[in-house]
Amino acid sequence: LCAGHAATAQTLDAVDRHLQEGRLQAARRALLQWEAAESRPGRADRQRGLWLRGLLTLDPDEAASSYARLVVEYPGGPFTDRALLRMAMAADLRGETDEAREHYAQLARDYPTSPLHQEAASWLRNHPGTETTAEGEGAAPDGTEPPAATGGYTVQLGAFGERRWAEELAGRVQAAGFEPRIAIFPGDDLVRVRVGRFGTRAEALVLRDRLQAAGFDAGLATDAERERRSG
């Protein structure tokens, strides 16, 4: 086990070395070799592998998914503050200021000793928004609890002209351990099967990847706030 861990670390060291030297193709090849050869990496190596994958991929969605997994699955990990910063910067570049604010706020709140804390705090000072206190966070004005899941991002698994096909797919999705819903839109005859509702793209990408790994043809949708639940 120790020998295997040492070999794994050496492979990731090679990825890092190629990356620092600007040899991106060599770094990508070495990372692919590590992912193919290492079936059960340790926790530290999994985090390092996700971080390197996010840095090296040419697909923005794949990079966002790798960073989001670090944030969701490894809070407090050695790469998580940097992953949050990358997610915040990407959202800011897309013009999605609210999502960027959420990531910067999490970085400033949850990683006070990080060297990136001041960068997050500075961005927040320059982009003031509606803040919630820890005591009242998420509470409605009348004190009632808000809906369990809100936001415009969701994962869609199919759109059908006949409801029975949507119900058949929803049954398979539920049997796989997820919580699907059947959604419709006013003036649109298509019946959609969707899972989850999120405030940020990164959170939705994590679920999308889980559904794809389970064998479903899952994609991202950004109009969840306009849909109507059907049944």
mmCIF file of all heavy atoms in Angstrom, residues 8-51:
data_model
loop_
_atom_site.group_PDB
_atom_site.id
_atom_site.type_symbol
_atom_site.label_atom_id
_atom_site.label_comp_id
_atom_site.label_asym_id
_atom_site.label_seq_id
_atom_site.Cartn_x
_atom_site.Cartn_y
_atom_site.Cartn_z
ATOM 1 N N THR A 8 1.831 6.634 -6.840
ATOM 2 C CA THR A 8 0.784 7.585 -7.199
ATOM 3 C C THR A 8 1.271 9.013 -7.025
ATOM 4 O O THR A 8 1.060 9.874 -7.887
ATOM 5 C CB THR A 8 -0.464 7.354 -6.323
ATOM 6 O OG1 THR A 8 -0.986 6.066 -6.596
ATOM 7 C CG2 THR A 8 -1.526 8.398 -6.587
ATOM 8 N N ALA A 9 1.906 9.280 -5.894
ATOM 9 C CA ALA A 9 2.416 10.627 -5.629
ATOM 10 C C ALA A 9 3.446 11.029 -6.671
ATOM 11 O O ALA A 9 3.473 12.182 -7.128
ATOM 12 C CB ALA A 9 3.006 10.685 -4.227
ATOM 13 N N GLN A 10 4.299 10.083 -7.070
ATOM 14 C CA GLN A 10 5.310 10.383 -8.077
ATOM 15 C C GLN A 10 4.668 10.739 -9.406
ATOM 16 O O GLN A 10 5.115 11.651 -10.105
ATOM 17 C CB GLN A 10 6.256 9.192 -8.242
ATOM 18 C CG GLN A 10 7.202 8.993 -7.061
ATOM 19 C CD GLN A 10 8.046 7.744 -7.193
ATOM 20 O OE1 GLN A 10 7.971 7.040 -8.194
ATOM 21 N NE2 GLN A 10 8.844 7.462 -6.172
ATOM 22 N N THR A 11 3.581 10.021 -9.774
ATOM 23 C CA THR A 11 2.884 10.326 -11.019
ATOM 24 C C THR A 11 2.285 11.714 -10.979
ATOM 25 O O THR A 11 2.394 12.486 -11.935
ATOM 26 C CB THR A 11 1.776 9.293 -11.281
ATOM 27 O OG1 THR A 11 2.337 7.983 -11.268
ATOM 28 C CG2 THR A 11 1.115 9.533 -12.619
ATOM 29 N N LEU A 12 1.640 12.062 -9.877
ATOM 30 C CA LEU A 12 1.076 13.402 -9.754
ATOM 31 C C LEU A 12 2.176 14.456 -9.671
ATOM 32 O O LEU A 12 1.989 15.582 -10.143
ATOM 33 C CB LEU A 12 0.160 13.469 -8.530
ATOM 34 C CG LEU A 12 -1.129 12.655 -8.644
ATOM 35 C CD1 LEU A 12 -1.932 12.726 -7.356
ATOM 36 C CD2 LEU A 12 -1.980 13.133 -9.814
ATOM 37 N N ASP A 13 3.301 14.105 -9.081
ATOM 38 C CA ASP A 13 4.439 15.025 -9.085
ATOM 39 C C ASP A 13 4.871 15.325 -10.517
ATOM 40 O O ASP A 13 5.224 16.467 -10.846
ATOM 41 C CB ASP A 13 5.621 14.426 -8.314
ATOM 42 C CG ASP A 13 5.413 14.472 -6.807
ATOM 43 O OD1 ASP A 13 4.518 15.213 -6.348
ATOM 44 O OD2 ASP A 13 6.138 13.754 -6.089
ATOM 45 N N ALA A 14 4.831 14.281 -11.362
ATOM 46 C CA ALA A 14 5.204 14.475 -12.766
ATOM 47 C C ALA A 14 4.216 15.406 -13.461
ATOM 48 O O ALA A 14 4.616 16.264 -14.260
ATOM 49 C CB ALA A 14 5.249 13.125 -13.483
ATOM 50 N N VAL A 15 2.925 15.256 -13.160
ATOM 51 C CA VAL A 15 1.918 16.161 -13.725
ATOM 52 C C VAL A 15 2.232 17.596 -13.302
ATOM 53 O O VAL A 15 2.232 18.517 -14.132
ATOM 54 C CB VAL A 15 0.499 15.766 -13.261
ATOM 55 C CG1 VAL A 15 -0.531 16.760 -13.803
ATOM 56 C CG2 VAL A 15 0.150 14.355 -13.706
ATOM 57 N N ASP A 16 2.481 17.787 -12.016
ATOM 58 C CA ASP A 16 2.816 19.116 -11.499
ATOM 59 C C ASP A 16 4.053 19.684 -12.179
ATOM 60 O O ASP A 16 4.101 20.869 -12.543
ATOM 61 C CB ASP A 16 3.050 19.038 -9.990
ATOM 62 C CG ASP A 16 1.887 19.625 -9.199
ATOM 63 O OD1 ASP A 16 1.220 20.536 -9.716
ATOM 64 O OD2 ASP A 16 1.658 19.166 -8.070
ATOM 65 N N ARG A 17 5.068 18.838 -12.341
ATOM 66 C CA ARG A 17 6.330 19.304 -12.930
ATOM 67 C C ARG A 17 6.115 19.757 -14.377
ATOM 68 O O ARG A 17 6.585 20.820 -14.783
ATOM 69 C CB ARG A 17 7.374 18.190 -12.868
ATOM 70 C CG ARG A 17 8.760 18.623 -13.337
ATOM 71 C CD ARG A 17 9.797 17.576 -12.977
ATOM 72 N NE ARG A 17 9.507 16.286 -13.607
ATOM 73 C CZ ARG A 17 9.052 15.213 -12.938
ATOM 74 N NH1 ARG A 17 8.837 15.272 -11.625
ATOM 75 N NH2 ARG A 17 8.810 14.075 -13.570
ATOM 76 N N HIS A 18 5.402 18.941 -15.149
ATOM 77 C CA HIS A 18 5.108 19.329 -16.535
ATOM 78 C C HIS A 18 4.313 20.638 -16.574
ATOM 79 O O HIS A 18 4.550 21.490 -17.425
ATOM 80 C CB HIS A 18 4.304 18.223 -17.228
ATOM 81 C CG HIS A 18 5.071 16.963 -17.451
ATOM 82 N ND1 HIS A 18 6.371 16.959 -17.891
ATOM 83 C CD2 HIS A 18 4.704 15.652 -17.325
ATOM 84 C CE1 HIS A 18 6.794 15.698 -18.016
ATOM 85 N NE2 HIS A 18 5.796 14.896 -17.670
ATOM 86 N N LEU A 19 3.365 20.772 -15.655
ATOM 87 C CA LEU A 19 2.527 21.971 -15.619
ATOM 88 C C LEU A 19 3.368 23.210 -15.324
ATOM 89 O O LEU A 19 3.219 24.252 -15.970
ATOM 90 C CB LEU A 19 1.431 21.798 -14.561
ATOM 91 C CG LEU A 19 0.406 22.928 -14.421
ATOM 92 C CD1 LEU A 19 -0.342 23.140 -15.728
ATOM 93 C CD2 LEU A 19 -0.584 22.590 -13.304
ATOM 94 N N GLN A 20 4.270 23.102 -14.342
ATOM 95 C CA GLN A 20 5.112 24.244 -13.984
ATOM 96 C C GLN A 20 6.053 24.628 -15.118
ATOM 97 O O GLN A 20 6.407 25.803 -15.272
ATOM 98 C CB GLN A 20 5.915 23.918 -12.717
ATOM 99 C CG GLN A 20 5.059 23.722 -11.471
ATOM 100 C CD GLN A 20 4.240 24.951 -11.143
ATOM 101 O OE1 GLN A 20 4.703 26.083 -11.282
ATOM 102 N NE2 GLN A 20 3.008 24.739 -10.705
ATOM 103 N N GLU A 21 6.448 23.635 -15.915
ATOM 104 C CA GLU A 21 7.360 23.890 -17.027
ATOM 105 C C GLU A 21 6.622 24.342 -18.279
ATOM 106 O O GLU A 21 7.248 24.610 -19.314
ATOM 107 C CB GLU A 21 8.179 22.630 -17.329
ATOM 108 C CG GLU A 21 9.128 22.241 -16.199
ATOM 109 C CD GLU A 21 9.764 20.876 -16.415
ATOM 110 O OE1 GLU A 21 9.373 20.188 -17.394
ATOM 111 O OE2 GLU A 21 10.643 20.501 -15.618
ATOM 112 N N GLY A 22 5.294 24.416 -18.206
ATOM 113 C CA GLY A 22 4.511 24.845 -19.355
ATOM 114 C C GLY A 22 4.276 23.767 -20.386
ATOM 115 O O GLY A 22 3.797 24.060 -21.490
ATOM 116 N N ARG A 23 4.563 22.537 -20.046
ATOM 117 C CA ARG A 23 4.366 21.408 -20.976
ATOM 118 C C ARG A 23 2.976 20.830 -20.731
ATOM 119 O O ARG A 23 2.805 19.784 -20.099
ATOM 120 C CB ARG A 23 5.461 20.381 -20.770
ATOM 121 C CG ARG A 23 6.876 20.937 -20.954
ATOM 122 C CD ARG A 23 7.928 19.925 -20.568
ATOM 123 N NE ARG A 23 7.821 18.712 -21.380
ATOM 124 C CZ ARG A 23 8.357 17.539 -21.036
ATOM 125 N NH1 ARG A 23 8.995 17.418 -19.871
ATOM 126 N NH2 ARG A 23 8.232 16.492 -21.815
ATOM 127 N N LEU A 24 1.980 21.510 -21.243
ATOM 128 C CA LEU A 24 0.595 21.170 -20.903
ATOM 129 C C LEU A 24 0.163 19.835 -21.496
ATOM 130 O O LEU A 24 -0.558 19.070 -20.844
ATOM 131 C CB LEU A 24 -0.340 22.285 -21.376
ATOM 132 C CG LEU A 24 -0.074 23.671 -20.780
ATOM 133 C CD1 LEU A 24 -1.139 24.664 -21.238
ATOM 134 C CD2 LEU A 24 -0.031 23.605 -19.260
ATOM 135 N N GLN A 25 0.564 19.555 -22.714
ATOM 136 C CA GLN A 25 0.183 18.274 -23.315
ATOM 137 C C GLN A 25 0.771 17.101 -22.531
ATOM 138 O O GLN A 25 0.090 16.102 -22.288
ATOM 139 C CB GLN A 25 0.638 18.217 -24.781
ATOM 140 C CG GLN A 25 -0.113 19.157 -25.706
ATOM 141 C CD GLN A 25 -1.584 18.786 -25.826
ATOM 142 O OE1 GLN A 25 -1.987 17.660 -25.564
ATOM 143 N NE2 GLN A 25 -2.411 19.748 -26.205
ATOM 144 N N ALA A 26 2.034 17.244 -22.127
ATOM 145 C CA ALA A 26 2.669 16.188 -21.331
ATOM 146 C C ALA A 26 1.978 16.055 -19.983
ATOM 147 O O ALA A 26 1.789 14.943 -19.470
ATOM 148 C CB ALA A 26 4.163 16.493 -21.151
ATOM 149 N N ALA A 27 1.587 17.185 -19.395
ATOM 150 C CA ALA A 27 0.878 17.143 -18.113
ATOM 151 C C ALA A 27 -0.462 16.439 -18.255
ATOM 152 O O ALA A 27 -0.858 15.629 -17.403
ATOM 153 C CB ALA A 27 0.676 18.567 -17.589
ATOM 154 N N ARG A 28 -1.198 16.730 -19.337
ATOM 155 C CA ARG A 28 -2.494 16.082 -19.553
ATOM 156 C C ARG A 28 -2.325 14.582 -19.756
ATOM 157 O O ARG A 28 -3.104 13.779 -19.247
ATOM 158 C CB ARG A 28 -3.201 16.716 -20.754
ATOM 159 C CG ARG A 28 -3.635 18.162 -20.512
ATOM 160 C CD ARG A 28 -4.502 18.685 -21.658
ATOM 161 N NE ARG A 28 -4.807 20.096 -21.458
ATOM 162 C CZ ARG A 28 -4.212 21.088 -22.105
ATOM 163 N NH1 ARG A 28 -3.274 20.825 -23.009
ATOM 164 N NH2 ARG A 28 -4.534 22.346 -21.841
ATOM 165 N N ARG A 29 -1.294 14.193 -20.511
ATOM 166 C CA ARG A 29 -1.056 12.765 -20.730
ATOM 167 C C ARG A 29 -0.738 12.051 -19.422
ATOM 168 O O ARG A 29 -1.250 10.959 -19.145
ATOM 169 C CB ARG A 29 0.081 12.565 -21.740
ATOM 170 C CG ARG A 29 -0.297 12.832 -23.184
ATOM 171 C CD ARG A 29 0.739 12.255 -24.137
ATOM 172 N NE ARG A 29 2.053 12.835 -23.923
ATOM 173 C CZ ARG A 29 2.502 13.923 -24.543
ATOM 174 N NH1 ARG A 29 1.706 14.549 -25.413
ATOM 175 N NH2 ARG A 29 3.712 14.376 -24.328
ATOM 176 N N ALA A 30 0.098 12.679 -18.605
ATOM 177 C CA ALA A 30 0.462 12.062 -17.326
ATOM 178 C C ALA A 30 -0.750 11.947 -16.408
ATOM 179 O O ALA A 30 -0.913 10.947 -15.704
ATOM 180 C CB ALA A 30 1.568 12.881 -16.658
ATOM 181 N N LEU A 31 -1.619 12.958 -16.418
ATOM 182 C CA LEU A 31 -2.816 12.902 -15.578
ATOM 183 C C LEU A 31 -3.766 11.818 -16.063
ATOM 184 O O LEU A 31 -4.356 11.086 -15.245
ATOM 185 C CB LEU A 31 -3.517 14.259 -15.567
ATOM 186 C CG LEU A 31 -4.753 14.359 -14.661
ATOM 187 C CD1 LEU A 31 -4.382 14.091 -13.203
ATOM 188 C CD2 LEU A 31 -5.403 15.741 -14.790
ATOM 189 N N LEU A 32 -3.925 11.687 -17.375
ATOM 190 C CA LEU A 32 -4.780 10.627 -17.913
ATOM 191 C C LEU A 32 -4.240 9.256 -17.541
ATOM 192 O O LEU A 32 -5.003 8.337 -17.229
ATOM 193 C CB LEU A 32 -4.886 10.768 -19.438
ATOM 194 C CG LEU A 32 -5.760 11.915 -19.954
ATOM 195 C CD1 LEU A 32 -5.628 12.045 -21.467
ATOM 196 C CD2 LEU A 32 -7.217 11.673 -19.567
ATOM 197 N N GLN A 33 -2.919 9.095 -17.569
ATOM 198 C CA GLN A 33 -2.306 7.826 -17.170
ATOM 199 C C GLN A 33 -2.586 7.538 -15.704
ATOM 200 O O GLN A 33 -2.889 6.399 -15.325
ATOM 201 C CB GLN A 33 -0.801 7.861 -17.437
ATOM 202 C CG GLN A 33 -0.442 7.879 -18.913
ATOM 203 C CD GLN A 33 1.039 8.118 -19.148
ATOM 204 O OE1 GLN A 33 1.808 8.333 -18.203
ATOM 205 N NE2 GLN A 33 1.456 8.110 -20.401
ATOM 206 N N TRP A 34 -2.502 8.562 -14.860
ATOM 207 C CA TRP A 34 -2.791 8.373 -13.437
ATOM 208 C C TRP A 34 -4.245 7.977 -13.221
ATOM 209 O O TRP A 34 -4.547 7.070 -12.470
ATOM 210 C CB TRP A 34 -2.478 9.659 -12.678
ATOM 211 C CG TRP A 34 -2.884 9.594 -11.232
ATOM 212 C CD1 TRP A 34 -2.214 8.958 -10.221
ATOM 213 C CD2 TRP A 34 -4.068 10.149 -10.639
ATOM 214 N NE1 TRP A 34 -2.901 9.095 -9.031
ATOM 215 C CE2 TRP A 34 -4.038 9.807 -9.266
ATOM 216 C CE3 TRP A 34 -5.122 10.887 -11.138
ATOM 217 C CZ2 TRP A 34 -5.056 10.205 -8.392
ATOM 218 C CZ3 TRP A 34 -6.128 11.279 -10.272
ATOM 219 C CH2 TRP A 34 -6.090 10.937 -8.906
ATOM 220 N N GLU A 35 -5.165 8.674 -13.908
ATOM 221 C CA GLU A 35 -6.590 8.378 -13.739
ATOM 222 C C GLU A 35 -6.927 6.977 -14.225
ATOM 223 O O GLU A 35 -7.785 6.298 -13.648
ATOM 224 C CB GLU A 35 -7.427 9.416 -14.482
ATOM 225 C CG GLU A 35 -7.362 10.799 -13.857
ATOM 226 C CD GLU A 35 -8.139 11.839 -14.638
ATOM 227 O OE1 GLU A 35 -8.348 11.641 -15.860
ATOM 228 O OE2 GLU A 35 -8.527 12.851 -14.049
ATOM 229 N N ALA A 36 -6.248 6.507 -15.268
ATOM 230 C CA ALA A 36 -6.521 5.175 -15.804
ATOM 231 C C ALA A 36 -5.921 4.077 -14.942
ATOM 232 O O ALA A 36 -6.492 2.997 -14.806
ATOM 233 C CB ALA A 36 -5.981 5.073 -17.234
ATOM 234 N N ALA A 37 -4.763 4.359 -14.331
ATOM 235 C CA ALA A 37 -4.045 3.318 -13.594
ATOM 236 C C ALA A 37 -4.443 3.227 -12.142
ATOM 237 O O ALA A 37 -4.367 2.163 -11.526
ATOM 238 C CB ALA A 37 -2.539 3.561 -13.701
ATOM 239 N N GLU A 38 -4.878 4.330 -11.551
ATOM 240 C CA GLU A 38 -5.118 4.364 -10.104
ATOM 241 C C GLU A 38 -6.607 4.203 -9.837
ATOM 242 O O GLU A 38 -7.389 5.129 -10.013
ATOM 243 C CB GLU A 38 -4.605 5.694 -9.535
ATOM 244 C CG GLU A 38 -4.675 5.763 -8.020
ATOM 245 C CD GLU A 38 -3.814 4.705 -7.359
ATOM 246 O OE1 GLU A 38 -2.758 4.371 -7.899
ATOM 247 O OE2 GLU A 38 -4.223 4.219 -6.291
ATOM 248 N N SER A 39 -7.027 2.998 -9.433
ATOM 249 C CA SER A 39 -8.455 2.732 -9.245
ATOM 250 C C SER A 39 -8.964 3.231 -7.897
ATOM 251 O O SER A 39 -10.122 3.616 -7.779
ATOM 252 C CB SER A 39 -8.729 1.235 -9.379
ATOM 253 O OG SER A 39 -7.959 0.505 -8.437
ATOM 254 N N ARG A 40 -8.120 3.221 -6.876
ATOM 255 C CA ARG A 40 -8.562 3.655 -5.548
ATOM 256 C C ARG A 40 -7.525 4.574 -4.910
ATOM 257 O O ARG A 40 -6.835 4.198 -3.953
ATOM 258 C CB ARG A 40 -8.815 2.438 -4.654
ATOM 259 C CG ARG A 40 -9.942 1.533 -5.143
ATOM 260 C CD ARG A 40 -10.233 0.427 -4.152
ATOM 261 N NE ARG A 40 -10.702 0.974 -2.875
ATOM 262 C CZ ARG A 40 -10.948 0.228 -1.804
ATOM 263 N NH1 ARG A 40 -10.759 -1.077 -1.846
ATOM 264 N NH2 ARG A 40 -11.385 0.788 -0.693
ATOM 265 N N PRO A 41 -7.402 5.794 -5.403
ATOM 266 C CA PRO A 41 -6.434 6.719 -4.804
ATOM 267 C C PRO A 41 -6.875 7.141 -3.418
ATOM 268 O O PRO A 41 -8.064 7.103 -3.089
ATOM 269 C CB PRO A 41 -6.435 7.908 -5.772
ATOM 270 C CG PRO A 41 -7.788 7.869 -6.392
ATOM 271 C CD PRO A 41 -8.147 6.413 -6.501
ATOM 272 N N GLY A 42 -5.920 7.554 -2.594
ATOM 273 C CA GLY A 42 -6.241 8.043 -1.267
ATOM 274 C C GLY A 42 -6.912 9.408 -1.326
ATOM 275 O O GLY A 42 -6.954 10.058 -2.372
ATOM 276 N N ARG A 43 -7.423 9.840 -0.180
ATOM 277 C CA ARG A 43 -8.168 11.097 -0.116
ATOM 278 C C ARG A 43 -7.322 12.276 -0.602
ATOM 279 O O ARG A 43 -7.789 13.109 -1.389
ATOM 280 C CB ARG A 43 -8.644 11.336 1.323
ATOM 281 C CG ARG A 43 -9.464 12.607 1.506
ATOM 282 C CD ARG A 43 -9.909 12.762 2.954
ATOM 283 N NE ARG A 43 -10.632 14.002 3.161
ATOM 284 C CZ ARG A 43 -11.937 14.157 2.983
ATOM 285 N NH1 ARG A 43 -12.659 13.115 2.573
ATOM 286 N NH2 ARG A 43 -12.534 15.320 3.192
ATOM 287 N N ALA A 44 -6.084 12.367 -0.132
ATOM 288 C CA ALA A 44 -5.227 13.485 -0.526
ATOM 289 C C ALA A 44 -4.956 13.465 -2.027
ATOM 290 O O ALA A 44 -4.968 14.513 -2.683
ATOM 291 C CB ALA A 44 -3.919 13.435 0.254
ATOM 292 N N ASP A 45 -4.710 12.270 -2.584
ATOM 293 C CA ASP A 45 -4.439 12.167 -4.013
ATOM 294 C C ASP A 45 -5.682 12.467 -4.842
ATOM 295 O O ASP A 45 -5.580 13.044 -5.927
ATOM 296 C CB ASP A 45 -3.906 10.773 -4.350
ATOM 297 C CG ASP A 45 -2.518 10.534 -3.800
ATOM 298 O OD1 ASP A 45 -1.764 11.521 -3.662
ATOM 299 O OD2 ASP A 45 -2.180 9.384 -3.494
ATOM 300 N N ARG A 46 -6.866 12.100 -4.349
ATOM 301 C CA ARG A 46 -8.101 12.420 -5.077
ATOM 302 C C ARG A 46 -8.266 13.938 -5.194
ATOM 303 O O ARG A 46 -8.637 14.452 -6.247
ATOM 304 C CB ARG A 46 -9.315 11.811 -4.380
ATOM 305 C CG ARG A 46 -9.412 10.300 -4.499
ATOM 306 C CD ARG A 46 -10.815 9.811 -4.180
ATOM 307 N NE ARG A 46 -11.266 10.163 -2.833
ATOM 308 C CZ ARG A 46 -11.060 9.440 -1.754
ATOM 309 N NH1 ARG A 46 -10.381 8.308 -1.850
ATOM 310 N NH2 ARG A 46 -11.530 9.819 -0.569
ATOM 311 N N GLN A 47 -7.989 14.631 -4.111
ATOM 312 C CA GLN A 47 -8.113 16.096 -4.142
ATOM 313 C C GLN A 47 -7.087 16.707 -5.100
ATOM 314 O O GLN A 47 -7.406 17.609 -5.887
ATOM 315 C CB GLN A 47 -7.926 16.659 -2.735
ATOM 316 C CG GLN A 47 -9.025 16.248 -1.775
ATOM 317 C CD GLN A 47 -8.766 16.761 -0.374
ATOM 318 O OE1 GLN A 47 -8.880 17.953 -0.105
ATOM 319 N NE2 GLN A 47 -8.409 15.875 0.532
ATOM 320 N N ARG A 48 -5.889 16.223 -5.008
ATOM 321 C CA ARG A 48 -4.846 16.755 -5.884
ATOM 322 C C ARG A 48 -5.166 16.470 -7.351
ATOM 323 O O ARG A 48 -4.977 17.319 -8.223
ATOM 324 C CB ARG A 48 -3.500 16.135 -5.499
ATOM 325 C CG ARG A 48 -2.298 16.776 -6.173
ATOM 326 C CD ARG A 48 -1.027 16.104 -5.707
ATOM 327 N NE ARG A 48 0.152 16.678 -6.330
ATOM 328 C CZ ARG A 48 1.359 16.137 -6.263
ATOM 329 N NH1 ARG A 48 1.543 15.023 -5.557
ATOM 330 N NH2 ARG A 48 2.383 16.697 -6.871
ATOM 331 N N GLY A 49 -5.689 15.272 -7.620
ATOM 332 C CA GLY A 49 -6.059 14.917 -8.983
ATOM 333 C C GLY A 49 -7.171 15.792 -9.529
ATOM 334 O O GLY A 49 -7.139 16.223 -10.687
ATOM 335 N N LEU A 50 -8.173 16.081 -8.695
ATOM 336 C CA LEU A 50 -9.264 16.961 -9.120
ATOM 337 C C LEU A 50 -8.751 18.369 -9.422
ATOM 338 O O LEU A 50 -9.158 19.001 -10.402
ATOM 339 C CB LEU A 50 -10.336 17.026 -8.036
ATOM 340 C CG LEU A 50 -11.318 15.861 -7.962
ATOM 341 C CD1 LEU A 50 -12.162 15.952 -6.686
ATOM 342 C CD2 LEU A 50 -12.216 15.822 -9.192
ATOM 343 N N TRP A 51 -7.880 18.869 -8.564
ATOM 344 C CA TRP A 51 -7.317 20.199 -8.774
ATOM 345 C C TRP A 51 -6.545 20.268 -10.084
ATOM 346 O O TRP A 51 -6.721 21.201 -10.880
ATOM 347 C CB TRP A 51 -6.422 20.574 -7.595
ATOM 348 C CG TRP A 51 -5.648 21.846 -7.780
ATOM 349 C CD1 TRP A 51 -4.304 21.971 -7.925
ATOM 350 C CD2 TRP A 51 -6.182 23.179 -7.852
ATOM 351 N NE1 TRP A 51 -3.968 23.289 -8.071
ATOM 352 C CE2 TRP A 51 -5.100 24.055 -8.036
ATOM 353 C CE3 TRP A 51 -7.462 23.697 -7.773
ATOM 354 C CZ2 TRP A 51 -5.253 25.425 -8.145
ATOM 355 C CZ3 TRP A 51 -7.627 25.076 -7.886
ATOM 356 C CH2 TRP A 51 -6.535 25.920 -8.069
#
